[in-house]
């Protein structure tokens, strides 16, 4: 008789806890919601997912912030502040302000940073 067969509830709880720890990320990225927000705000006009356009690709942004504390907040700040965006020809324009709930903006930032 194994320990698991003597204590089936304990074994089931251990499996549940272990499974939750491995399966549940700290932040559940909603890819569909992020992609919908990208489309609604016409982000792909200036940014490619994997290729630079007038603005940097999302992959380039992800590389820039990878491993840095505060990366999500920094991307959200850029999306919501209207700060200057620099273009390849050297001119600057105010970045379009993305209007959404904070949770949706953080989800979008996570999506960009996950590219």
């Amino acid at each position: 008789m194994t320990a698991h067969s003597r204590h089936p509830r304990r074994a089931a709880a251990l499996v549940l806890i272990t499974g939750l720890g491995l399966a549940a990320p700290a932040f559940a990225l909603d890819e569909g919601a992020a992609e919908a927000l990208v489309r609604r705000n016409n982000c792909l006009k200036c940014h490619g997912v994997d290729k630079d356009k007038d603005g940097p690709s999302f992959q380039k942004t992800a590389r820039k912030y990878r491993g840095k504390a505060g990366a999500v907040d920094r991307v959200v700040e850029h999306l919501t502040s209207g700060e200057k965006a620099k273009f390849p020809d050297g001119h600057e324009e105010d970045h379009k302000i993305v209007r959404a709930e904070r949770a949706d903006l953080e989800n979008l930032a996570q999506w960009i940073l996950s590219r």
Side-chain angles (χ1 to χ4, degrees):
M1 182 178 273
T2 67
H4 292 146
S5 62
R6 287 191 305 259
H7 303 287
R9 284 188 183 160
R10 187 179 303 164
L14 181 60
V15 169
L16 178 62
I17 291 167
T18 303
L20 288 175
L22 294 175
F27 179 88
L29 179 62
D30 184 340
E31 301 246 353
E35 291 167 1
L37 194 52
V38 164
R39 283 191 302 276
R40 274 197 312 274
N41 284 278
N42 205 19
C43 300
L44 296 174
K45 176 183 176 195
C46 295
H47 301 277
V49 172
D50 58 356
K51 291 187 178 19
D52 292 345
K53 293 184 178 180
D54 284 335
S57 71
F58 295 141
Q59 285 181 350
K60 184 181 269 184
T61 300
R63 280 193 305 272
K64 177 179 178 179
Y65 290 105
R66 188 162 288 127
K68 293 185 180 174
V72 169
D73 290 334
R74 176 64 193 107
V75 173
V76 169
E77 173 69 18
H78 182 72
L79 295 171
T80 60
S81 69
E83 68 186 43
K84 295 288 184 190
K86 296 175 184 140
F87 286 78
D89 66 4
H91 85 280
E92 295 182 353
E93 292 179 16
D94 293 339
H95 189 275
K96 179 184 179 194
I97 294 175
V98 177
R99 301 196 189 281
E101 296 293 323
R102 177 71 189 198
D104 294 329
L105 292 164
E106 288 177 1
N107 185 67
L108 175 56
Q110 287 280 5
W111 182 83
I112 291 169
L113 294 169
S114 72
R115 301 298 97 191

Short mmCIF file of all heavy atoms in Angstrom, two decimals, residues 13-45:
data_model
loop_
_atom_site.label_atom_id
_atom_site.label_comp_id
_atom_site.label_asym_id
_atom_site.label_seq_id
_atom_site.Cartn_x
_atom_site.Cartn_y
_atom_site.Cartn_z
N ALA A 13 -5.27 16.57 -2.94
CA ALA A 13 -4.97 17.97 -2.66
C ALA A 13 -3.59 18.33 -3.17
O ALA A 13 -3.38 19.41 -3.74
CB ALA A 13 -5.07 18.24 -1.17
N LEU A 14 -2.62 17.45 -3.00
CA LEU A 14 -1.27 17.70 -3.48
C LEU A 14 -1.24 17.83 -5.00
O LEU A 14 -0.62 18.74 -5.54
CB LEU A 14 -0.33 16.58 -3.03
CG LEU A 14 1.12 16.71 -3.45
CD1 LEU A 14 1.71 17.99 -2.87
CD2 LEU A 14 1.92 15.51 -2.98
N VAL A 15 -1.96 16.96 -5.68
CA VAL A 15 -2.04 17.04 -7.14
C VAL A 15 -2.69 18.35 -7.56
O VAL A 15 -2.20 19.04 -8.46
CB VAL A 15 -2.82 15.83 -7.72
CG1 VAL A 15 -3.12 16.04 -9.19
CG2 VAL A 15 -2.01 14.56 -7.52
N LEU A 16 -3.75 18.75 -6.89
CA LEU A 16 -4.45 19.99 -7.22
C LEU A 16 -3.54 21.20 -7.00
O LEU A 16 -3.40 22.05 -7.87
CB LEU A 16 -5.73 20.12 -6.39
CG LEU A 16 -6.53 21.40 -6.60
CD1 LEU A 16 -7.03 21.48 -8.04
CD2 LEU A 16 -7.70 21.45 -5.64
N ILE A 17 -2.90 21.26 -5.84
CA ILE A 17 -2.02 22.39 -5.54
C ILE A 17 -0.85 22.44 -6.51
O ILE A 17 -0.51 23.48 -7.05
CB ILE A 17 -1.53 22.31 -4.08
CG1 ILE A 17 -2.70 22.57 -3.13
CG2 ILE A 17 -0.39 23.29 -3.82
CD1 ILE A 17 -2.41 22.23 -1.69
N THR A 18 -0.22 21.30 -6.75
CA THR A 18 0.91 21.25 -7.68
C THR A 18 0.46 21.65 -9.08
O THR A 18 1.11 22.44 -9.75
CB THR A 18 1.52 19.83 -7.70
OG1 THR A 18 1.89 19.50 -6.38
CG2 THR A 18 2.73 19.77 -8.61
N GLY A 19 -0.67 21.14 -9.50
CA GLY A 19 -1.19 21.48 -10.83
C GLY A 19 -1.49 22.95 -10.97
O GLY A 19 -1.17 23.57 -11.98
N LEU A 20 -2.07 23.54 -9.94
CA LEU A 20 -2.36 24.97 -9.99
C LEU A 20 -1.09 25.78 -10.04
O LEU A 20 -0.99 26.76 -10.77
CB LEU A 20 -3.20 25.38 -8.78
CG LEU A 20 -4.64 24.92 -8.76
CD1 LEU A 20 -5.30 25.30 -7.45
CD2 LEU A 20 -5.42 25.48 -9.93
N GLY A 21 -0.10 25.38 -9.28
CA GLY A 21 1.15 26.11 -9.27
C GLY A 21 1.84 26.09 -10.62
O GLY A 21 2.47 27.05 -11.03
N LEU A 22 1.73 25.00 -11.34
CA LEU A 22 2.40 24.89 -12.63
C LEU A 22 1.55 25.45 -13.76
O LEU A 22 2.09 25.96 -14.73
CB LEU A 22 2.71 23.42 -12.93
CG LEU A 22 3.73 22.76 -12.00
CD1 LEU A 22 3.85 21.28 -12.33
CD2 LEU A 22 5.09 23.45 -12.11
N ALA A 23 0.25 25.38 -13.63
CA ALA A 23 -0.61 25.75 -14.76
C ALA A 23 -1.08 27.19 -14.73
O ALA A 23 -1.43 27.73 -15.75
CB ALA A 23 -1.83 24.82 -14.78
N ALA A 24 -1.10 27.82 -13.57
CA ALA A 24 -1.68 29.15 -13.47
C ALA A 24 -0.59 30.21 -13.41
O ALA A 24 0.09 30.34 -12.40
CB ALA A 24 -2.57 29.24 -12.23
N PRO A 25 -0.37 30.94 -14.52
CA PRO A 25 0.63 31.99 -14.47
C PRO A 25 0.18 33.13 -13.57
O PRO A 25 -1.00 33.27 -13.27
CB PRO A 25 0.72 32.45 -15.93
CG PRO A 25 -0.59 32.10 -16.53
CD PRO A 25 -1.07 30.87 -15.78
N ALA A 26 1.12 33.96 -13.15
CA ALA A 26 0.79 35.09 -12.30
C ALA A 26 -0.15 36.05 -13.01
O ALA A 26 -0.97 36.70 -12.40
CB ALA A 26 2.08 35.82 -11.88
N PHE A 27 -0.04 36.13 -14.32
CA PHE A 27 -0.89 37.00 -15.11
C PHE A 27 -1.38 36.21 -16.30
O PHE A 27 -0.58 35.73 -17.09
CB PHE A 27 -0.10 38.22 -15.59
CG PHE A 27 -0.91 39.17 -16.43
CD1 PHE A 27 -1.65 40.17 -15.82
CD2 PHE A 27 -0.97 39.05 -17.80
CE1 PHE A 27 -2.40 41.04 -16.58
CE2 PHE A 27 -1.72 39.92 -18.57
CZ PHE A 27 -2.44 40.92 -17.94
N ALA A 28 -2.69 36.05 -16.42
CA ALA A 28 -3.26 35.30 -17.54
C ALA A 28 -3.47 36.25 -18.71
O ALA A 28 -4.38 37.06 -18.70
CB ALA A 28 -4.56 34.63 -17.13
N LEU A 29 -2.59 36.19 -19.68
CA LEU A 29 -2.65 37.05 -20.84
C LEU A 29 -3.86 36.69 -21.69
O LEU A 29 -4.09 35.53 -22.01
CB LEU A 29 -1.36 36.87 -21.67
CG LEU A 29 -1.24 37.67 -22.95
CD1 LEU A 29 -1.27 39.16 -22.66
CD2 LEU A 29 0.04 37.30 -23.66
N ASP A 30 -4.65 37.70 -22.05
CA ASP A 30 -5.81 37.52 -22.93
C ASP A 30 -5.39 38.02 -24.31
O ASP A 30 -5.51 39.21 -24.62
CB ASP A 30 -7.01 38.29 -22.39
CG ASP A 30 -8.28 38.05 -23.20
OD1 ASP A 30 -8.19 37.62 -24.38
OD2 ASP A 30 -9.37 38.32 -22.67
N GLU A 31 -4.86 37.10 -25.12
CA GLU A 31 -4.35 37.45 -26.45
C GLU A 31 -5.43 38.09 -27.33
O GLU A 31 -5.18 39.08 -28.00
CB GLU A 31 -3.79 36.21 -27.15
CG GLU A 31 -2.68 35.56 -26.40
CD GLU A 31 -1.35 35.62 -27.12
OE1 GLU A 31 -1.31 36.06 -28.27
OE2 GLU A 31 -0.36 35.23 -26.49
N GLY A 32 -6.62 37.52 -27.31
CA GLY A 32 -7.71 38.03 -28.14
C GLY A 32 -8.08 39.47 -27.81
O GLY A 32 -8.27 40.30 -28.69
N ALA A 33 -8.14 39.78 -26.51
CA ALA A 33 -8.48 41.14 -26.09
C ALA A 33 -7.37 42.11 -26.48
O ALA A 33 -7.65 43.23 -26.93
CB ALA A 33 -8.71 41.19 -24.57
N ALA A 34 -6.12 41.69 -26.34
CA ALA A 34 -5.00 42.55 -26.73
C ALA A 34 -5.01 42.82 -28.23
O ALA A 34 -4.86 43.96 -28.68
CB ALA A 34 -3.68 41.93 -26.31
N GLU A 35 -5.21 41.77 -29.01
CA GLU A 35 -5.24 41.94 -30.46
C GLU A 35 -6.41 42.81 -30.90
O GLU A 35 -6.27 43.63 -31.82
CB GLU A 35 -5.29 40.56 -31.14
CG GLU A 35 -3.99 39.81 -30.96
CD GLU A 35 -4.06 38.34 -31.32
OE1 GLU A 35 -5.14 37.86 -31.74
OE2 GLU A 35 -3.03 37.66 -31.17
N ALA A 36 -7.54 42.70 -30.21
CA ALA A 36 -8.70 43.55 -30.54
C ALA A 36 -8.38 45.02 -30.23
O ALA A 36 -8.73 45.92 -31.00
CB ALA A 36 -9.93 43.09 -29.75
N LEU A 37 -7.71 45.28 -29.12
CA LEU A 37 -7.33 46.64 -28.76
C LEU A 37 -6.31 47.20 -29.76
O LEU A 37 -6.40 48.37 -30.14
CB LEU A 37 -6.76 46.66 -27.33
CG LEU A 37 -6.61 48.00 -26.64
CD1 LEU A 37 -7.91 48.81 -26.65
CD2 LEU A 37 -6.13 47.80 -25.21
N VAL A 38 -5.40 46.37 -30.23
CA VAL A 38 -4.45 46.78 -31.26
C VAL A 38 -5.19 47.18 -32.54
O VAL A 38 -4.90 48.22 -33.14
CB VAL A 38 -3.43 45.64 -31.55
CG1 VAL A 38 -2.70 45.86 -32.86
CG2 VAL A 38 -2.45 45.51 -30.41
N ARG A 39 -6.17 46.37 -32.93
CA ARG A 39 -6.95 46.68 -34.14
C ARG A 39 -7.77 47.95 -33.97
O ARG A 39 -7.79 48.82 -34.84
CB ARG A 39 -7.86 45.50 -34.50
CG ARG A 39 -7.13 44.35 -35.17
CD ARG A 39 -8.09 43.31 -35.74
NE ARG A 39 -8.98 42.75 -34.74
CZ ARG A 39 -8.70 41.74 -33.92
NH1 ARG A 39 -7.52 41.17 -33.97
NH2 ARG A 39 -9.57 41.30 -33.06
N ARG A 40 -8.47 48.09 -32.82
CA ARG A 40 -9.31 49.27 -32.58
C ARG A 40 -8.51 50.56 -32.60
O ARG A 40 -9.00 51.61 -33.00
CB ARG A 40 -10.03 49.16 -31.22
CG ARG A 40 -11.31 48.39 -31.27
CD ARG A 40 -12.18 48.64 -30.04
NE ARG A 40 -11.51 48.54 -28.77
CZ ARG A 40 -11.31 47.42 -28.08
NH1 ARG A 40 -11.73 46.27 -28.56
NH2 ARG A 40 -10.70 47.44 -26.91
N ASN A 41 -7.27 50.50 -32.17
CA ASN A 41 -6.44 51.70 -32.09
C ASN A 41 -5.50 51.86 -33.29
O ASN A 41 -4.68 52.77 -33.30
CB ASN A 41 -5.66 51.70 -30.78
CG ASN A 41 -6.56 52.07 -29.63
OD1 ASN A 41 -6.81 53.24 -29.39
ND2 ASN A 41 -7.10 51.08 -28.94
N ASN A 42 -5.63 50.96 -34.26
CA ASN A 42 -4.85 51.03 -35.50
C ASN A 42 -3.34 51.05 -35.24
O ASN A 42 -2.58 51.74 -35.93
CB ASN A 42 -5.29 52.24 -36.32
CG ASN A 42 -5.01 52.06 -37.79
OD1 ASN A 42 -4.82 50.95 -38.27
ND2 ASN A 42 -4.97 53.16 -38.51
N CYS A 43 -2.90 50.30 -34.22
CA CYS A 43 -1.48 50.27 -33.85
C CYS A 43 -0.60 49.73 -34.98
O CYS A 43 0.56 50.15 -35.13
CB CYS A 43 -1.27 49.41 -32.60
SG CYS A 43 -2.17 49.99 -31.14
N LEU A 44 -1.16 48.81 -35.77
CA LEU A 44 -0.36 48.17 -36.81
C LEU A 44 -0.09 49.10 -38.00
O LEU A 44 0.67 48.76 -38.90
CB LEU A 44 -1.01 46.87 -37.27
CG LEU A 44 -1.07 45.80 -36.17
CD1 LEU A 44 -1.85 44.59 -36.65
CD2 LEU A 44 0.32 45.40 -35.71
N LYS A 45 -0.69 50.28 -37.98
CA LYS A 45 -0.37 51.29 -39.00
C LYS A 45 1.10 51.70 -38.86
O LYS A 45 1.79 51.88 -39.85
CB LYS A 45 -1.29 52.50 -38.86
CG LYS A 45 -0.96 53.62 -39.82
CD LYS A 45 -1.85 54.82 -39.59
CE LYS A 45 -1.42 55.96 -40.52
NZ LYS A 45 -2.00 57.23 -40.12
#
